[in-house]
Amino acid sequence: AMFGVPYSQTLSASGSVGPYSFALTSGSLPPGLTLAPDGTLSGTPTLAGPRTFTITATDGTATGYQGARAYEVRVDVEPLVLPPTTLPNG
């Protein structure tokens, strides 16, 4: 993900009966990002750096089987690029 740039990623689950619901169960998301119950991780990152977190998917059965996975999202800062035409003559 890039600092200040809209980000969206959809998580998926398989191996049981849907629909699945997703929840953040440990760690923290990068500031500016949120996780929707449908597994969509989206928003605009407001702080650079890595974040590690665990997301748990729960299936649609009455027993609510779960599976969890750890993720890391690194938010990078886009490098400043100045075209030569914007620099003063040297």
Side-chain angles (χ1 to χ4, degrees), residues 6 17 22 33-34 40 42 59 61 77:
V17 178
F22 296 83
L33 297 185
T34 59
T40 302
S42 64
D59 73 5
T61 65
V77 176

Side-chain angles (χ1 to χ4, degrees), residues 65-86:
Y65 292 112
Q66 295 182 328
R69 183 167 184 179
Y71 294 90
E72 180 180 89
V73 171
R74 179 176 300 279
V75 177
D76 292 322
V77 176
E78 190 169 354
L80 178 62
V81 178
L82 296 173
T85 57
T86 62

Side-chain angles (χ1 to χ4, degrees), residues 2 4-5 10 17-19 27 30 34 39 46 51-53 63 67 74 78-79 90:
M2 297 297 291
V5 177
T10 301
V17 178
T34 59
T46 59
R51 291 291 173 126
T52 302
F53 50 90
T63 55
R74 179 176 300 279
E78 190 169 354

